Amino acid sequence: MEVKTLKKNKTSVYFLTDKQELETLIRKTYEWIETKKTKVDFDVVENKKGDKYVALNVKTHNKILAELKNSNFFTQQFIDNYNKIALKIGENLKTNKIEYFVGELPPYGSDSNPWCDCQDNPESYWKTLKINDLKIQNNKATFYWTWTEWKETPTYKVTAVKENGIWRIAVLDGFDYKSFTKI
């Protein structure tokens, strides 16, 4: 952290580097995801028989959209993409383009958690997240995060955008619309 002392009134002003700001953003975001965000991402509704999912739970989905927005961690671009994925899942379930049976893995996304592209993670992993391969151009940053807890760690791509002087997450690798919704 760079420290500058102003001579007149001996006030110290601290300047965080973009890398420090982005690492803090990622750590706080993942702590929020794991401790405060509604756990299920794309909550679905069962049919009357209880053997198949037939629709997106719109009430839960709208609650999550509000949580994402109110967290101030995400750009509108991220929220819009998340919403587009959810609505496509709901549409595909309603029109039977995909079948999702109770007790089975969802036919959308991958077999891993889209927030980390992992199936398991260390406890409080957000405390050990590190940023690698940071590239900043204008107000757009791309980087990969890893955690330092385990030898086997995901390498997860993130794009962040600086809006009004504040970094926010615009793209997370696990929420790629085409791969998440492909049939």
Side-chain angles (χ1 to χ4, degrees):
M1 188 179 298
E2 186 181 330
V3 179
K4 293 195 177 189
T5 304
L6 302 175
K7 291 181 183 178
K8 206 173 200 182
N9 58 5
K10 298 197 181 205
T11 302
S12 294
V13 179
Y14 295 89
F15 295 92
L16 289 174
T17 66
D18 284 325
K19 184 175 182 180
Q20 289 169 317
E21 287 179 21
L22 288 163
E23 205 161 80
T24 298
L25 168 66
I26 288 299
R27 287 180 176 180
K28 285 183 176 183
T29 299
Y30 278 91
E31 179 179 16
W32 175 81
I33 290 164
E34 295 294 336
T35 63
K36 293 187 172 82
K37 183 190 155 295
T38 297
K39 292 295 172 219
V40 64
D41 274 298
F42 304 111
D43 189 28
V44 289
V45 179
E46 293 178 13
N47 64 7
K48 288 183 179 171
K49 282 197 221 173
D51 65 342
K52 187 175 164 184
Y53 298 107
V54 293
L56 177 70
N57 183 332
V58 177
K59 185 178 178 183
T60 302
H61 176 63
N62 287 335
K63 178 183 175 197
I64 294 170
L65 288 177
E67 289 174 355
L68 292 170
K69 185 175 178 77
N70 293 334
S71 74
N72 289 317
F73 296 131
F74 304 97
T75 63
Q76 192 61 48
Q77 174 188 346
F78 179 87
I79 295 166
D80 290 346
N81 180 65
Y82 185 95
N83 185 46
K84 188 175 164 186
I85 290 170
L87 295 178
K88 187 65 172 177
I89 289 168
E91 177 189 320
N92 286 344
L93 288 170
K94 263 187 180 169
T95 60
N96 289 314
K97 286 184 181 174
I98 57 173
E99 286 191 309
Y100 182 7
F101 294 97
V102 173
E104 293 185 6
L105 289 173
Y108 46 82
S110 66
D111 291 345
S112 61
N113 178 340
W115 293 100
C116 61
D117 201 22
C118 62
Q119 291 181 337
D120 200 10
N121 49 269
E123 193 171 316
S124 302
Y125 66 91
W126 57 86
K127 293 178 182 178
T128 67
L129 288 176
K130 297 283 183 213
I131 288 178
N132 303 303
D133 302 324
L134 175 62
K135 291 175 182 68
I136 299 175
Q137 192 168 27
N138 299 323
N139 285 329
K140 182 179 176 182
T142 57
F143 57 90
Y144 294 85
W145 66 251
T146 58
W147 56 59
T148 59
E149 287 289 301
W150 295 346
K151 276 186 176 181
E152 296 295 318
T153 178
T155 304
Y156 192 87
K157 188 174 182 182
V158 178
T159 301
V161 175
K162 199 172 215 177
E163 298 177 329
N164 301 318
I166 299 169
W167 286 106
R168 290 199 170 85
I169 297 167
V171 179
L172 290 175
D173 202 27
F175 290 98
D176 176 70
Y177 177 81
K178 283 184 180 177
S179 63
F180 208 100
T181 60
K182 78 176 176 197
I183 299 174

